[in-house]
Amino acid sequence: MTEQQRPERVNASSDSEEPATLRDRTLVEDLLLLLFQPSSGRQGDAGNIAGETTLYWVLAGAVLAELGLRGHVRTGTTRIGTMTVEAVADNPPSDDLLRSSWEYVARTSRSVQTVLAATGPALREPVLDRLVERGDLHRRTRKALGLFQTSVLQQGDTGRRDGLLAEVRAVLVDGAEPTERTAALTALLYGSGTLPQFDRDIPWTSPVIARAEELKDGNWGAEAAAKAVARTVTATIVNNVIVAAAVLPRG
């Protein structure tokens, strides 16, 4: 990719944002919280984020999926058949994190992968900040090797992550019919390639994989039948996340 072809990156942060506790939770927050693996770090109760190598694709996909679910964007097609994302001009999101991606799309319709590449790199830190503000995660500073200050993440005591994990498990393992948000969250989690790391809570079995594939393709059940556009947008985004992550060089 040349510098001329490389999409500009979008700044996802805003100094004017209200506290996270006063905002509705977004899909990207719930996804990053689920990807946090408690007690997976070297320092006891510290944890790590699963799938760091492809994380920005997945987070950007979650933002686009949210915009689709809320009717802020729709998909289109170029003359040569490339799928694009278009902003719904009279329906901008109020959430600053979502709005920055919406504004990027509002300038002109873009391919899904272009939007993922442009908006994803700026998302990790502001989304983590929100989770810390809400108390879902704690950020601690410790000394490494007795000399260097290092920042670690720990699970908070809100119970939010456990609740999300239970919802995803119910859909994938117990056959529960998902809400639109749970379906999108589960599809994105599967698209991230990290679902095998949840094997202790969600067995990595053939029936689970088959159910995850259904959700990835937009087969969400009767409860979501009224929002076919949202399903189509989310399925398109998740499939593009999978494609983008598959070709990304591994570090």
Side-chain angles (χ1 to χ4, degrees):
M1 182 181 291
T2 67
E3 286 302 318
Q4 287 78 14
Q5 295 171 318
R6 194 181 306 278
E8 67 266 32
R9 294 185 177 182
V10 177
N11 185 357
S13 63
S14 172
D15 293 335
S16 62
E17 284 193 358
E18 62 188 355
T21 52
L22 300 180
R23 291 189 297 261
D24 292 337
R25 291 180 182 270
T26 59
L27 194 61
V28 69
E29 291 173 62
D30 283 346
L31 179 62
L32 186 57
L33 181 58
L34 263 183
L35 289 173
F36 174 73
Q37 303 292 299
S39 303
S40 61
R42 296 179 179 178
Q43 297 178 313
D45 58 349
N48 294 320
I49 305 295
E52 285 278 13
T53 304
T54 57
L55 185 62
Y56 77 86
W57 293 102
V58 180
L59 296 183
V63 170
L64 268 186
E66 181 92 69
L67 292 173
L69 289 173
R70 296 188 184 189
H72 301 301
V73 299
R74 56 178 171 256
T75 56
T77 308
T78 67
R79 285 178 296 178
I80 61 173
T82 302
M83 189 72 70
T84 60
V85 181
E86 304 171 352
V88 177
D90 60 352
N91 189 24
S94 57
D95 185 289
D96 288 343
L97 196 65
L98 302 179
R99 192 177 182 100
S100 62
S101 292
W102 180 89
E103 288 175 343
Y104 177 71
V105 175
R107 298 171 201 164
T108 184
S109 62
R110 319 260 189 175
S111 73
V112 175
Q113 289 197 31
T114 296
V115 179
L116 297 178
T119 62
L123 286 169
R124 185 185 187 277
E125 290 310 309
V127 176
L128 269 181
D129 288 343
R130 286 193 179 190
L131 294 175
V132 171
E133 283 184 73
R134 293 189 190 279
D136 297 324
L137 295 178
H138 296 312
R139 187 183 278 121
R140 305 284 189 236
T141 300
R142 293 179 177 173
K143 281 189 176 181
L145 304 176
L147 297 173
F148 307 104
Q149 296 285 350
T150 183
S151 180
V152 298
L153 294 170
Q154 299 172 337
Q155 186 169 350
D157 55 6
T158 63
R160 178 72 176 180
R161 185 182 184 277
D162 292 340
L164 292 170
L165 190 57
E167 291 176 12
V168 172
R169 177 187 166 85
V171 171
L172 290 177
V173 179
D174 303 327
E177 186 157 309
T179 64
E180 289 173 350
R181 287 185 63 81
T182 304
L185 181 64
T186 305
L188 286 160
L189 189 65
Y190 177 61
S192 74
T194 63
L195 198 52
Q197 297 185 39
F198 292 79
D199 185 64
R200 184 179 65 180
D201 300 293
I202 302 173
W204 185 242
T205 62
S206 294
V208 165
I209 295 170
R211 181 63 177 129
E213 281 283 335
E214 291 178 354
L215 296 173
K216 180 204 72 172
D217 292 335
N219 300 320
W220 292 359
E223 188 173 338
K227 295 241 183 130
V229 173
R231 294 202 318 275
T232 301
V233 170
T234 303
T236 299
I237 291 162
V238 171
N239 279 284
N240 272 270
V241 167
I242 292 173
V243 170
V247 301
L248 190 70
R250 304 282 172 163

